[in-house]
């Protein structure tokens, strides 16, 4: 396995004041860190709970230069088109390059899995 | 193929005032209706755009008795634990049984696909 261009990926979920809401995202992070080194991936929230992207970046070692933000969102609305890019712009500096990826809901395998999950609710094999 | 216990499934997305935001959900609906009869599945939004669950139910033929609501959400917060069940309670009547399913983000294949999508961003095969 060879590492890609990103030194670190920050998974970005919407955020909620509800502790239970965060659990599936924390479980997903745990699954990923079971496969890749845990210093390669973090979880952050856009609003309503912490840590924020800013918190995560502040705690990252300075050798994590190329950092991608991967939105755990189904779709791109104002948050991902306006708010988050603006936030990343203020957090980009000479020491760190931040890249906003397309939301995970755009991934073809994720779409296929959702399609299959829905069809299975309607059709008995 | 044999049809399951539900006469119809309403896919429930959060909703947004942003037209672009709805596109991935509309595309997902189109994929599903490419596999099952299009009278078996609809798309509704919880807030900020239409149609609502109520709109969809009002337009459904009366022989669609057992209707499931399948949330296109990653996680269960107050919306899915409190607001939507309360809404479904007011919409359940003698002619129609409404079932709220676990969110699609709980589906093991969807979780696996998301995990794989994230790992692929970090690891070159």
């Amino acid at each position: 396995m060879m590492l890609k261009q990103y030194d670190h990926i920050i998974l970005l979920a919407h955020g909620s004041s509800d502790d239970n809401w965060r659990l599936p995202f924390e479980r997903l992070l745990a699954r990923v860190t079971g496969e890749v080194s845990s210093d390669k991936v973090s979880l952050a929230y856009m609003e309503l709970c912490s840590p924020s992207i800013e918190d995560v970046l502040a705690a990252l070692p300075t050798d994590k230069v190329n950092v991608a933000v991967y939105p755990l969102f189904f779709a791109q609305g104002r948050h991902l088109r306006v708010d988050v890019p603006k936030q990343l712009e203020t957090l980009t500096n000479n020491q760190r390059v931040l890249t906003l990826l397309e939301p995970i809901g755009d991934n073809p395998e994720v779409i296929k899995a959702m399609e299959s999950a829905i069809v299975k609710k309607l059709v008995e094999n």
Side-chain angles (χ1 to χ4, degrees), chain A residues 7 9 14-15 21 31 38 49 52 58-60 67-69 84 86 88 91-92 95 97 114 124:
Chain A
D7 301 320
I9 284 192
H14 183 281
W21 186 89
R31 287 178 66 126
S38 67
C49 62
S52 64
L60 270 191
V67 178
V69 173
V84 176
K86 202 178 288 179
L88 295 189
L91 295 170
T92 297
Q95 280 75 51
V97 180
M114 290 196 290
E124 196 83 72

Side-chain angles (χ1 to χ4, degrees), chain A residues 3-103:
Chain A
L3 291 173
K4 272 199 175 165
Q5 66 266 41
Y6 306 120
D7 301 320
H8 193 88
I9 284 192
I10 300 174
L11 305 175
L12 179 67
H14 183 281
S16 166
S17 54
D18 185 328
D19 287 347
N20 290 325
W21 186 89
R22 295 199 293 272
L23 289 177
F25 301 101
E26 291 168 0
R27 281 195 295 258
L28 184 60
L29 176 68
R31 287 178 66 126
V32 173
T33 56
E35 287 195 58
V36 299
S37 164
S38 67
D39 70 337
K40 288 281 165 195
V41 58
S42 309
L43 178 59
Y45 299 98
M46 206 184 54
E47 60 186 23
L48 301 172
C49 62
S50 59
S52 64
I53 294 176
E54 193 166 3
D55 295 337
V56 169
L57 288 174
L60 270 191
T62 50
D63 66 341
K64 304 288 189 192
V65 174
N66 290 305
V67 178
V69 173
Y70 198 5
L72 304 179
F73 284 66
F74 290 113
Q76 258 181 335
R78 198 179 50 83
H79 283 321
L80 294 185
R81 282 207 323 279
V82 181
D83 303 341
V84 176
K86 202 178 288 179
Q87 187 189 7
L88 295 189
E89 212 174 296
T90 70
L91 295 170
T92 297
N93 58 36
N94 291 336
Q95 280 75 51
R96 200 158 262 166
V97 180
L98 303 177
T99 305
L100 181 59
L101 304 175
E102 297 293 304

